[in-house]
Amino acid sequence: MADRMNRRQLLTRALALGCTAAASPMLTPVSFAALPGERRLVVIVLRGAMDGLDVFRPLGDPHLAALRPHLAQENTPLPLDNFFALHPALSGLMPLWHAGEMGFVPATSTLYRDQRSHFDGQDHLEAGTAGTLPPALQRDGWLNRLVAQLPGAQARTAFAVGRERMLILEGQAAITQWSPGTDLDLSPQNRLLLSYLFDNDPLFAQAGQIALEMTTPGTDDDEDDMPAGGDAAGLGRYIAQQLLAESRIASFSLTGWDTHRDQHRALLPALGRLQDAILALRDGLGDAWGETTVMAMTEFGRTARENGARGTDHGTGGALLLAGGALRGQRAIGGWPGLADQDLYAGRDLMPLSDIRAYPAWAMRDLFGLPVSAIERHIFAGLDMGDSPRLFL
Amino acid sequence: MVSVPTIAAIRFGAGLSPHRPAPVDADALYTSLSVEAQPSFPPQPWGARLNLLQKRATLLQASREETATPADRAAFAEAHQALRDTSFSDLRHSIAELAYAGTGFHERLTRFWANHFATMGMGGALLRTRSAYINDAIRPHVTGRFSDMLRAAVLHPVMLVYLDQFRSVGPNSAVGRQQGRGVNENLAREILELHTLGTSSTYTQADVSQFALLLTGVTINPQNEFLFDTRIAEPGIIEVLGQRYGARLTRLDHIVQALDDMARHPDTATHIARKLARHFVADTPDPRLVAHIAAAFSQSGGDLMVTCRALLEHPAAWENPMAKTRAPLELMAAAIRALNIPRDGFLALPSRRTRLELAEPLQQMGEEFESVPSPAGYDDSAPYWITPQALAARIGWVTALVQRWPDGPDPRTFVDVALGDAASDALRRAARGAETRAQGIGLILASPGFNRR
């Protein structure tokens, strides 16, 4: 169910719609007391396979320059510690790094190996299952399974934003989905008449009223401004508003990471969008940033060697970016496998040192207080969470 | 009371039109099936589409070589655009097959079966091939036999890739023994669960596993053409649903025999009958209607003309009109049909406008072109399409359509054109109350009445 109203608007609507609203569970105001706490989790799915080696460049690794004769010379990175340096297109995140509000896992991945298909890789990342994927019909996403484990979760607790399919939030638990930027240019009279027609048809009444409400441009008297499609900062602001209202979990995709050619240029727009989204989330959340964790994860990494077109091809180990006000950041988490020939996966890719699911799993335990056994059984079947990476302060 | 011709046009056909009379009764619908069996807008043959895809794949490879020149990249871009153009042309054609049809019943059935045998192109080698698959495997059999359609659909390369059959290897086949590879049950399971017997049937996991073994050998060659490869086919006798198939060397006709037997299974008749009634008539169809269709399906050996006649001739098929909702593409076609938008102009829409004005709105309404949500296809219940997001997209699309079509008719007469005697008093009042003609037309097209069928 899609819907973007905040609580205040919901109350207004509930009054305005009278008995229609009273009969509709979706428009019934929810009690804040029932909400699963104040902690917030945002998962950004970086579709297309982000090159972690370029984003968190391991300058301290002696093999980098030989593997990437051109790419390692481009886009002079900003030192993070005495080993890694950050891609300059993310320079806006440096204040977060210095404040301990950003960290990263340089070499991790799903359990998906060797086929290196974006679609299958993303399905693995979002389904969060071990071994072969369940049949497409039975697939659901791990964030949805998390919602199912949260006491007091409502449809609006979890929010999938954007037009793309978000398997990560699909499943049995009710969630909310909405694409920003769908204002409708209807005259007030036309809205009134349509609203009258929808109200006259039970099947359309609820969906119709919400659709009209959500698509009315410029009626919002406060912070609810809807961004256009490709505007990552707007997306971040919009999600921040939802997280300040009833939502606690949100997920959206950023694309543009599949840099087979001229990566020194091709990666810049995607990184710019990622930075915009994270900064807009932080700014929009205000004090709630201290309760928020952002995880940006990608389906797999890219080849350790650059290819003939100064790009990189589909690989295995990749990076996970973490940000948030309560993070124990300013560090690379989970070790470094090295880039010597014998250290690479299949002689070509960065070796993943962990099952990427362990990080959201520990975040779930630490943020939402879920027991390790419930996470390993119901959310990430087949995962051994291992030792805590102690993500939070 | 909604009249029989209105129900015929809206429930079974493409909708009402100012220039094409509504089918007067069940007979008129039935007769139209033969008349409309040949597509009005002949699609590109499958072989030509495969050539296009292969050319694109080769040029993509070349453009990624270290020695690639700007000309190589331009050649790839051109081939990619050619594929997009062909696919967008398929989209315009599939809307036009409804919008400009005599009744559109045949095309509605084509859509029903395409959703029953839901699949889509996976990976670059079969990019954007759902529409081409429908034209190749579904459309030719809509007035033929179910068993023929079953075979064409489940053995189609697009399906073999979508449901992982091309990864399946008989463990005791030559290749299986040599490489230690095994079976993938996906296609076998979906054939039983979705395409033939249905979930309410009593087949077991053992049937699925055995059928998967029997299906090994069915794969694709490097050119993405169907291939029966004996080197990966599981040898020996395999029992599925109590029948024994195969031999020391399994042959394709053993598999075809199993498919034919599944097509003939009584549970398949009931499954298909329920889905047909549910698609056209009501979310919970009258059990007598379902039984009547199932009997006709069974007795005729899966003759789909006989099956359609059974659907049309039963009184329950004409009760409770407007109980279902139009799928997004059906809404588009019905609007274009009711507004009588000129055919030649519509067919000549360039790719860019096809994307902006048809493909993207379809996606926003929940029916992404060249795509299916799962092997089970789109859910076929009335509320499925009517979410706030999708409804907002419907309102947006009709509003834009009306704005692009300034010489529209008078809303007061257009109510009758679009909905006939199915128009509610509320809609007639609202149409009169609109500020401008264009807004009145948009209101009618966005109304619940026009979005039902």
Side-chain angles (χ1 to χ4, degrees), chain A residues 364-379:
Chain A
M364 287 170 192
R365 200 206 69 136
D366 295 345
L367 296 175
F368 301 110
L370 294 186
V372 166
S373 60
I375 296 170
E376 289 181 345
R377 190 173 320 129
H378 300 299
I379 299 176

Side-chain angles (χ1 to χ4, degrees), chain A residues 2 120 136-137 163 178-179 184 186-187 189-190 193-194 196-198 201 203-204 207-208 211 214-215 260-261 308, chain B residues 63-64 66 73 167 193 325 364 374-376 386 388-389 391-392 395-396 399 426 429-430 433 435 439 443 448 452:
Chain A
D120 293 343
L137 263 180
R163 286 190 184 138
W178 183 254
S179 312
L184 287 175
L186 295 175
S187 76
Q189 164 73 351
N190 224 8
L193 290 170
L194 262 180
Y196 160 72
L197 288 174
F198 288 144
D201 188 322
L203 180 59
F204 288 71
M214 288 192 293
T215 54
H260 286 285
R261 177 190 316 287
Chain B
S63 75
R64 282 182 178 170
E66 202 164 334
R73 291 198 272 278
R167 301 183 202 275
E193 178 179 319
T325 48
Q364 290 154 19
S374 82
I386 310 303
Q389 179 87 64
L391 196 49
I395 302 168
T399 306
R429 266 199 303 280
E435 284 172 300
Q439 288 189 10
L443 198 63
R452 283 179 173 274

Side-chain angles (χ1 to χ4, degrees), chain B residues 112 200 267-279 282-283 285 290 293-294:
Chain B
F112 167 81
S200 52
D267 290 348
T268 300
T270 309
H271 182 213
I272 298 297
R274 188 176 298 120
K275 280 191 79 172
L276 267 171
R278 188 172 141 86
H279 178 79
D283 286 355
V290 174
I293 301 169

Side-chain angles (χ1 to χ4, degrees), chain A residues 107-110 113 316-318 337 343 345 349-355:
Chain A
T108 185
S109 91
T110 67
R113 290 288 184 279
T316 307
D343 295 330
Y345 177 80
D349 303 337
L350 183 64
M351 177 71 76
L353 295 179
S354 53
D355 181 337

Side-chain angles (χ1 to χ4, degrees), chain A residues 46-61 64 67-68 71-72 74-75 77-78 80-81 83-88 90 97 102-109 118 256-259 263 267 270-271 274 296-306 311-322 332-333 335-339 344 348-352 356:
Chain A
L46 307 174
R47 296 186 193 277
M50 178 180 78
D51 183 29
L53 283 171
D54 212 4
V55 178
F56 304 103
R57 205 178 286 181
L59 293 183
D61 194 297
L64 179 71
L67 289 167
R68 300 189 159 199
L71 288 179
E74 300 277 358
N75 293 312
L78 314 165
L80 291 170
D81 54 19
F83 193 86
F84 289 102
L86 184 67
H87 196 292
L90 291 182
W97 176 263
M102 180 176 120
F104 64 100
V105 183
T108 185
S109 91
H118 290 303
W257 305 96
D258 197 16
T259 46
Q263 179 169 307
L267 198 53
L271 287 169
L274 176 60
M297 43 214 309
T298 190
E299 64 262 34
F300 41 70
R302 307 189 70 83
T303 46
R305 288 177 193 83
E306 67 181 42
T312 51
D313 298 317
H314 302 182
T316 307
L320 162 69
L321 184 153
L322 293 142
I333 302 164
W336 178 248
L339 291 174
L344 296 179
R348 48 168 276 163
D349 303 337
L350 183 64
M351 177 71 76
I356 196 169

Side-chain angles (χ1 to χ4, degrees), chain A residues 39 81 95-106 289-295 320-335 359 362-363 365-367 387-393:
Chain A
R39 299 297 179 77
D81 54 19
L96 271 70
W97 176 263
H98 291 305
E101 295 180 354
M102 180 176 120
F104 64 100
V105 183
W289 176 248
E291 308 268 13
T292 303
T293 302
V294 179
M295 293 190 149
L320 162 69
L321 184 153
L322 293 142
L327 200 70
R328 211 165 61 81
Q330 205 176 0
R331 63 191 176 118
I333 302 164
Y359 296 98
W362 280 106
R365 200 206 69 136
D366 295 345
L367 296 175
D387 294 332
S388 170
R390 298 178 55 234
L391 296 176
F392 304 101
L393 292 171

